Structures are given as C-alpha cells and as structure tokens.
Amino acid sequence: MFIFISLYKKFLNYINLILIFIILKFKVMKNKISPILSMGAVLFSFMLTTLFPSCNDDLAADSYYTFTGEMMSDFLDNHEDFSQFKRIVERAGRMDLLASRGARTLFPPVNSGVEDFLKERGYASVEDIPASFCDTLVKACLVERTLYTYNLSETHQESNQLDLPVIIVTDGDTVDANGMTLSVINRRAAIINELKNDSVENGVVHPVDKVIVPNTSLGASLLDDNHQDFTIFYEALKRTALLDSLSRYRDDDYEVWKNNYKEFTQSMHIGNEDYVGKRPDHRYSGFTLFIVPDKVLYEKYSDRFNESMTMDQKIDALYDLAVEKYDDNISAGIFGLDKTDPATGKTYKELYWNKSSLKSRHNPLNMFLSYHILDRLFTSTAKLINCWQINTAYADPTEWVGTMLDFSTIKLEKVYSTIDPAVEYERDFYINHSQACAYNNYERIRGAHLTTPENADNFSLNVAYYYVDDVLAYDQTMRNKVMNTRMRIDVLTLWPELTTNNIRLCGNPTQGYNAGDNSEEGTEAGGHNYYLPPGYLKNVKFSENTIFFLERPIVQWSNMGGDVVGILGTSYDITFRLPNVPPGTYELRLGYTALESRGIGQVYVDGIPQGLPMDMRIFGNDGSIGGLYNGWAGWRNKDENAGGIYTTEELEENARIMKNNGYYSAPKGLFWGNDGTDAPRYSPNTCTSYYNCVNLLRSKICNVEVKPNTHHTVRLRSVLTSGETSDFTLDYLELVPIDICGAGGLGEDLY
C-alpha cells in the first residue's frame, strides 16, 4: 500500500513537471505564456491534488518505498568478467561512489583488458598498482552524466572525473569481428558492442576492451614521448625554447579568488529567459600544435631536406625556409622587426635574424614555429570548428583564431566541397585554405590538410598536436589572398580561455532550452550557461556592474553556431581587442539578433565613439533600416520560393538602401532550426535562413584602419536611461577589406 502511495505521489510530481516544462517551452519560444494555457495548467494541477488528496507525510521510516535496483557497484559484483576492475575500484576506495545515486557513465574494462594493462606496466597483479594510481584509473573512466552511444556524434568530447578529455570517435573506420562500427575512446579502448548501453539505476555502463589510461603529462613530456615522426620539428622547438613555453596549465590564483565573486541570480536574467549561469570551475591554459612530420619535409621540400643530413643541417634548412616566408617589408612592419632597439640603435631584424638568436621572438625560425602553435587547447576535432547552423551549400564552416605569433591569425576550415577528387575527400579539415574566387584572382589556395596522429597520444593536460601536410606561414599568400575576403568571426573564438576550459561548444546543441538551463547542474552532455568573473579572460576589461554571460549552443536559437555572448547590466561597459588582421582598411560589422528586451550601446573603436548608439531593439523593417521582409521568417525572394513577394531586382535595390543606412541583412549561409538529426545540415522544411529573418541583422560600426604591430580595441557602453537590466548581444564580427565592400570594390555575395 505504501509503495503504491509513494509511486502515486511521484506520478503527481511528474505530471506537474511536465506541465511546467510545457509552460517554459511556450515562454521561451514565444517570450510570453498564453494566459489560457497557463490557467488551464493550474486548474488541471488543482483538480489532481483535489480529487486525489496527498497522504500523510509523517509515515514510519520502514513504510517508505525502498529502492532495490542495480547500481554500478552491483554491476561489478554481479558480472565476473569485471572482477579485476572491481578490485581496482576497491583499492581506490571508490565502491561507495559507484553505489551512490547520480547520473553517471562508467567505462569499465573487461578482465582481459586489465590483464593487458598489467603486462604493459609490469605489474604482477592489481595488488601491485599503487592505490593512488587505482584512484586515477577509476576517475579516468567515469563521466558525471549519462551518455548513450546512440546519442553520440561522430566525434564526441566529454570530461572525466579528472577533468581530462574523454574523446569518443564513432566514424565507421573501426569495426568489430561482426563488422559493426565501434566507438573508440581516446584511440585506446573500444566500447564492446554486445555489452554497451547497459542501464543501471545511477547511470549507464559501457564495458570496454582496454583500460582507459589518462595522459597527465604536460606538453613537453607529451612531445618528448611521441616525436619519432617529427624529429626536425621537435628539435627546432627545443632550440627556440618554445618547448619550454608549453608549461602553463592551471591558474592557482583563480582557485582562491573565484570564491569571492558573487553568485549568479535570477535577477540577472537575459531578456525574458530565466537562464542560470555557472561560474567556471577552473582557469586552464593550453596549446595546440600543428606539426609538420619529417616525411612531409623530405617529400615536399626535397631540395632542402633529406634523411642523410645531420640534425644541425636540417635545422639550418628549416631556418632558411622561415627566412623565405617572412623576409618582406610588410612582415617587418607587422611584427615590429623594423623597430629600433634603444640599447643598440639597431633594428630587431638586424639584431636577431641570425642562427645564433633562435630563442628571440624576433628570430625568423622562432616566428615560423610560433605560427604553428595555437593559443588554446583543441583536444579533438570535435571542437576545432563550430559547424552548427552553417548551410554548406553556400559556405564552409570556418574559424579565425590567434596563434603564438603575435599579430597573426590562422584559418581553420572544414571543407565540404571536394578539393582534388583524385586524392582528397569531402568534409575534411584544412588550414589556410581558400576556394578560387574573385577575392584571390580565382586562384585556389590549397593550404594544409590536418590529420590526427595514429597509434600515438596526441593530447595531454595542456597540449594537443596534429599533423599537417605542409608548412604554415603568415606570409604574403595568407595575408593577401586567403585573408582578402569577408572574415566572419564567431565572438566566442576571440578568447582562448573559452575553448581551453570547455566553455565554448559545451553540451548537445540539438537539445533545446529546458529546465537544465535554469540550474547550475546544466543539461545533457554537460551543457552549461556560464558567467565569467572579471579577469578570467585575457585582454578584456569590464566594469563591476557588467555581467559577462555565455549562452550554451542551441540550434533552435537564431545565433551563429547556436551560442552567443550577452553583456548584461544596468550600465555595462566592456572593452576587448579586435582580432588580428593584416594592415589595411576594413569595414567592421556586428551581427546580432534584435529583440525588444535588448539594450542600446555606444560603440567605440580605439576609444573613439562611432556614430549613433546601436539600438538592438529595432527590427529590419523599421524605417531607419528600411529592409523589405515578408514577416518574421518568410521567403523574401520570389525566385527562390513561390511564396515570396519580392523579386531579385527589388531585393538588390533594397540591399543598397539598407547599406546606405548602415545595415546588411543576415547571411544566407547561416540558418537556425534542426532537421531532426544530430548533423548540422540545412533542411528547407525545418530550418530558416538568416537572410529571411526580420530581426537578424548586420550593423556597420565603422571603417577601421588596421596599423602594423598594433592591437585595436572595441568598447561597448550602455546608454539606456532605464534602470532595468538589458542585454547587448555579441554574436559574430565581420572584418571586410574595403576593396571588397567599398565604392568600386569587387562586391560581396549574400553568403
């Protein structure tokens, strides 16, 4: 009887939760709740509690419903093939953890996998493994959320209890004896297909064939252990002392002062949504290296390198190649080589362009290698590029990010269109690639193909490395051809800390707004909204009453890539650096979503106010913008859809009117919505092109003259007179060379 009562009460709770969820859905999607729906939900809930009154809560302790299901600890007890791992858990003192309630994922190795591990490490038995290492092994295979393999993307990244990456690849390249695709963890352990997705009461268990061994080394040790394929590059890193610079990992000061930062409260809400922000747990630093293997140098630069050369000769050859890439007057200005050293009266190029000054940041080999090192950690290709909401029929997913070579930028691109059908494949990663177009005189720039090293660790605590099949350089080809285009830059890529600390691209973007967004516990697959304390990001300053808020990616939201930065507060004031681009004049734009709850901000560039304050409450059909729009998301062009009401000629003329008013429609290459799968593909039946949305706009801020060896800044300051908090949205920036978008320029497409 009491069990029935307990189950009945749970049923009532579930009904109420479902009703609340429906209300929240309507609230988010419509920004207001239908009064009839709201009243109906309340009446229905009242009927249930009236017709079925609750029972006395003061029951005897032995009358409560008692749970009798299998926990993870019971799973290990009940399955003999995990007896070895069970003993590891016992020696770590973690059986109580596996017996506790929660929602976890466990990847326990079968006995044969443990036996292989013991042989590899030289242990006679599990009893020889130090207890502290047993604890490490348990934490390495435990994720604090439930993951089922049928919900995983091709490359999925999680964090284990050590706060280290768990990278699960299910790409069809690895199959079991039955020909079934295997999911492989950290390129070490395969999830056993016959045993996976075994639900227990506190999560799910995925047995694996090998022990998951975490790499807890720092960067120098990782490269030292695995450099047999890139001896030249590794030796150059040592001689330039760049190898020593890969030691930064955790900011211990943040561990202290983060607790002094105020908690996020509901009064800090974004517009009409009740997001709750999580303060980052840690502040890690990291690096990603793009390494050129010896084999590539021997094959592509056979006139410079061969295997019979001494290492000194090989380093000299690499030095000479670096000189060739950066020996021009523009490069000298960008990197300050033409500046005079006050102590000697010589330029930095005169002082340090020699083979005895390899450790100087002004040395060509040092510069060359620094450009191969990103200032952030990409432990897998899953987060290399945000591919969500990119219509690949029009554009390839692309990111522009900084490197360890100051004043430089690198282009990361997932190329969907075939480059060379004879030898290369679609949907692959390239660096500094450019399709043939008017902006590069119809010359395709191949760039370098990125691959993940096979049969070797390629990431550790703070460093990851990948192979590229050609050298990279911020040379004239990169600056004058690849970057001579409209550069659309996701704001979340401006700050390395967001990538390194798994704040950018966290969680499952196909999971819409739900109760997890109202909790610090987050949503499925680690989806969190974050608010950042002042000082967390480098090169960003904001006032004490400014709230720097990051919304997790949701593909149903009309933000580029599904995520966005919200600058909140009654009088926010924030200053940050512009991305690095080659010297020249650019049109600077900000892409955003207009809403009635948005704010009004004055934009400054290098401290100088630019035009009138930007009002993010005004939609594209407002008279001050003058856009032609067929409702919120109707097709605007009659030639593209029979339901449209505007001709191509009318829209071309309207684009000129909008541009004269300082605005552009949003791009056709971006969309919001979901086609019902976990892939970022566009479907006209379920997705909406940004170009057609009346509240999705790009606003011209100003023309910016980018000067050599100079960092430029943007400042945003609230000018709302109201005391209410408002949201100034930072979605994406565009930097467009003036010879493309200016008078007499080459002209832009709509993508």
Side-chain angles (χ1 to χ4, degrees):
M1 175 62 181
F2 291 117
I3 292 177
F4 170 79
I5 293 171
S6 179
L7 290 173
Y8 158 71
K9 292 173 70 177
K10 287 186 176 182
F11 168 75
L12 289 183
N13 288 334
Y14 289 147
I15 291 295
N16 281 318
L17 284 174
I18 291 170
L19 290 171
I20 292 170
F21 177 75
I22 292 171
I23 292 171
L24 285 174
K25 277 289 186 182
F26 272 83
K27 180 179 181 183
V28 172
M29 299 304 294
K30 302 296 184 182
N31 282 331
K32 60 182 179 180
I33 304 174
S34 165
I36 296 176
L37 174 67
S38 180
M39 182 175 293
V42 172
L43 287 173
F44 183 59
S45 179
F46 175 76
M47 281 173 48
L48 285 173
T49 54
T50 302
L51 295 174
F52 303 98
S54 62
C55 300
N56 182 10
D57 289 331
D58 298 322
L59 297 174
D62 59 358
S63 298
Y64 284 107
Y65 172 71
T66 303
F67 163 75
T68 58
E70 184 182 56
M71 306 293 267
M72 289 179 177
S73 56
D74 301 315
F75 178 91
L76 299 180
D77 279 331
N78 298 336
H79 296 79
E80 181 60 31
D81 202 25
F82 299 95
S83 59
Q84 294 272 50
F85 181 70
K86 174 190 171 185
R87 183 59 188 146
I88 291 175
V89 177
E90 290 172 340
R91 297 201 65 241
R94 293 290 174 179
M95 285 298 280
D96 286 347
L97 173 64
L98 298 188
S100 64
R101 290 189 177 277
R104 306 181 183 92
T105 301
L106 180 67
F107 301 98
V110 293
N111 286 342
S112 59
V114 177
E115 292 292 346
D116 290 341
F117 168 77
L118 295 174
K119 291 176 183 177
E120 291 170 4
R121 297 297 176 116
Y123 297 123
S125 71
V126 170
E127 305 305 319
D128 289 343
I129 306 175
S132 59
F133 193 29
C134 287
D135 187 61
T136 297
L137 294 175
V138 174
K139 290 179 178 177
C141 65
L142 196 59
V143 172
E144 282 295 328
R145 58 187 60 91
T146 302
L147 301 171
Y148 288 94
T149 58
Y150 45 77
N151 288 329
L152 300 180
S153 55
E154 184 176 291
T155 301
H156 185 89
Q157 181 172 324
E158 285 289 336
S159 294
N160 58 25
Q161 282 202 337
L162 297 170
D163 209 18
L164 288 171
V166 174
I167 299 166
I168 308 171
V169 177
T170 315
D171 58 7
D173 291 343
T174 307
V175 297
D176 62 15
N178 298 318
M180 295 179 61
T181 297
L182 286 168
S183 296
V184 181
I185 302 173
N186 292 359
R187 298 205 323 281
R188 293 178 181 271
I191 297 175
I192 301 170
N193 280 324
E194 294 82 1
L195 304 177
K196 65 185 180 183
N197 297 319
D198 197 337
S199 294
V200 291
E201 289 297 330
N202 56 348
V204 63
V205 177
H206 299 295
V208 294
D209 63 349
K210 295 184 183 299
V211 175
I212 298 174
V213 183
N215 191 328
T216 57
S217 64
L218 293 176
S221 298
L222 172 72
L223 299 178
D224 184 57
D225 292 340
N226 296 282
H227 71 272
Q228 59 272 13
D229 292 332
F230 52 92
T231 60
I232 302 172
F233 204 98
Y234 178 72
E235 183 64 23
L237 288 171
K238 287 172 61 178
R239 296 193 185 192
T240 56
L242 287 170
L243 194 65
D244 299 332
S245 69
L246 305 179
S247 60
R248 292 199 316 272
Y249 173 49
R250 191 172 80 169
D251 181 359
D252 290 330
D253 290 339
Y254 176 73
E255 302 299 311
V256 177
W257 65 262
K258 69 180 180 182
N259 296 317
N260 297 327
Y261 191 59
K262 59 188 176 183
E263 293 184 1
F264 191 87
T265 65
Q266 290 288 355
S267 63
M268 304 172 182
H269 68 276
I270 298 180
N272 292 326
E273 288 85 27
D274 293 325
Y275 287 99
V276 169
K278 173 183 172 65
R279 181 189 61 208
D281 293 325
H282 307 288
R283 187 173 183 267
Y284 294 124
S285 295
F287 311 89
T288 300
L289 283 74
F290 296 133
I291 292 178
V292 186
D294 296 345
K295 181 181 178 181
V296 171
L297 294 175
Y298 296 146
E299 292 178 354
K300 289 205 171 182
Y301 299 91
S302 57
D303 58 330
R304 298 175 184 268
F305 300 91
N306 64 72
E307 293 185 65
S308 63
M309 297 167 64
T310 67
M311 184 55 72
D312 286 344
Q313 291 172 325
K314 293 173 182 176
I315 297 300
D316 286 348
L318 197 61
Y319 175 92
D320 293 338
L321 180 57
V323 169
E324 181 181 298
K325 294 294 184 181
Y326 291 104
D327 193 14
D328 65 89
N329 292 332
I330 302 299
S331 292
I334 292 173
F335 304 114
L337 301 175
D338 55 354
K339 290 187 175 180
T340 301
D341 174 46
T344 63
K346 295 182 178 181
T347 65
Y348 289 111
K349 186 172 183 178
E350 292 172 326
L351 283 174
Y352 299 114
W353 272 50
N354 57 73
K355 295 176 182 178
S356 60
S357 302
L358 300 184
K359 295 182 180 180
S360 168
R361 299 291 291 161
H362 294 96
N363 182 272
L365 183 57
N366 198 298
M367 294 168 56
F368 177 86
L369 293 172
S370 296
Y371 188 67
H372 288 75
I373 307 175
L374 301 187
D375 54 6
R376 63 203 71 195
L377 179 64
F378 289 106
T379 49
S380 76
T381 56
K383 297 191 177 183
L384 194 67
I385 300 170
N386 187 344
C387 297
W388 296 103
Q389 298 183 323
I390 306 297
N391 189 342
T392 55
Y394 293 138
D396 287 331
T398 299
E399 308 284 16
W400 305 85
V401 302
T403 77
M404 295 297 288
L405 177 61
D406 203 5
F407 303 106
S408 73
T409 292
I410 212 165
K411 181 185 182 185
L412 308 177
E413 186 174 3
K414 191 167 186 180
V415 179
Y416 277 71
S417 55
T418 301
I419 293 178
D420 184 348
V423 296
E424 296 172 302
Y425 302 89
E426 298 179 351
R427 296 185 60 183
D428 234 338
F429 295 101
Y430 280 79
I431 301 173
N432 293 352
H433 162 264
S434 179
Q435 298 282 10
C437 61
Y439 308 147
N440 58 20
N441 200 26
Y442 297 99
E443 175 187 357
R444 180 179 68 85
I445 310 301
R446 179 187 182 277
H449 183 208
L450 178 148
T451 56
T452 302
E454 296 181 1
N455 304 318
D457 286 331
N458 79 307
F459 68 89
S460 63
L461 287 175
N462 69 329
V463 165
Y465 71 92
Y466 298 88
Y467 288 156
V468 289
D469 67 354
D470 203 352
V471 299
L472 309 172
Y474 197 64
D475 57 4
Q476 294 187 65
T477 298
M478 173 60 180
R479 301 191 309 260
N480 299 340
K481 294 183 177 180
V482 178
M483 299 186 75
N484 188 44
T485 187
R486 176 188 54 232
M487 287 170 278
R488 184 171 297 143
I489 302 164
D490 189 339
V491 169
L492 273 80
T493 64
L494 297 183
W495 304 292
E497 295 86 355
L498 302 184
T499 296
T500 302
N501 292 275
N502 288 322
I503 296 173
R504 170 183 166 267
L505 278 176
C506 66
N508 180 357
T510 65
Q511 184 184 41
Y513 177 87
N514 60 39
D517 289 299
N518 305 98
S519 167
E520 277 201 17
E521 299 303 315
T523 64
E524 174 194 338
H528 286 283
N529 304 296
Y530 284 89
Y531 75 107
L532 304 185
Y536 190 85
L537 302 177
K538 284 188 255 182
N539 305 319
V540 178
K541 296 180 180 178
F542 51 86
S543 58
E544 289 185 1
N545 57 351
T546 299
I547 301 166
F548 194 101
F549 196 93
L550 295 97
E551 297 180 36
R552 70 176 180 90
I554 300 175
V555 295
Q556 290 87 354
W557 275 192
S558 52
N559 306 315
M560 177 175 166
D563 50 19
V564 72
V565 174
I567 308 301
L568 312 178
T570 55
S571 55
Y572 51 77
D573 195 340
I574 178 173
T575 302
F576 58 90
R577 281 184 184 177
L578 273 177
N580 295 308
V581 291
T585 303
Y586 297 81
E587 186 169 291
L588 173 63
R589 308 168 185 164
L590 176 63
Y592 66 97
T593 304
L595 287 175
E596 294 176 355
S597 59
R598 295 282 190 248
I600 306 175
Q602 179 65 56
V603 183
Y604 302 74
V605 174
D606 294 333
I608 300 173
Q610 302 298 323
L612 297 173
M614 185 182 299
D615 191 342
M616 289 191 170
R617 304 171 303 176
I618 298 176
F619 289 12
N621 56 2
D622 185 85
S624 62
I625 297 175
L628 293 178
Y629 289 90
N630 180 21
W632 270 83
W635 287 99
R636 303 198 307 170
N637 194 331
K638 185 176 181 179
D639 294 343
E640 294 185 13
N641 186 288
I645 61 174
Y646 305 115
T647 65
T648 299
E649 293 74 17
E650 287 174 323
L651 290 174
E652 288 176 351
E653 174 60 25
N654 185 241
R656 287 188 284 270
I657 293 172
M658 291 180 66
K659 182 175 180 178
N660 289 337
N661 291 329
Y663 288 88
Y664 297 83
S665 63
K668 286 187 177 180
L670 302 179
F671 68 90
W672 61 273
N674 186 27
D675 68 346
T677 72
D678 62 353
R681 61 174 65 93
Y682 176 77
S683 170
N685 296 323
T686 57
C687 305
T688 301
S689 171
Y690 278 18
Y691 175 73
N692 297 312
C693 295
V694 68
N695 69 325
L696 301 183
L697 298 164
R698 290 175 287 172
S699 175
K700 176 181 176 179
I701 296 174
C702 64
N703 287 346
V704 179
E705 182 185 356
V706 175
K707 299 178 181 178
N709 203 237
T710 302
H711 290 296
H712 298 274
T713 61
V714 172
R715 178 189 176 196
L716 305 171
R717 181 180 64 85
S718 175
V719 295
L720 269 181
T721 57
S722 169
E724 295 182 2
T725 183
S726 63
D727 175 15
F728 197 94
T729 298
L730 298 177
D731 193 359
Y732 60 93
L733 298 173
E734 289 186 348
L735 281 162
V736 191
I738 204 68
D739 65 351
I740 291 175
C741 63
L746 295 172
E748 280 189 84
D749 54 44
L750 297 172
Y751 310 131

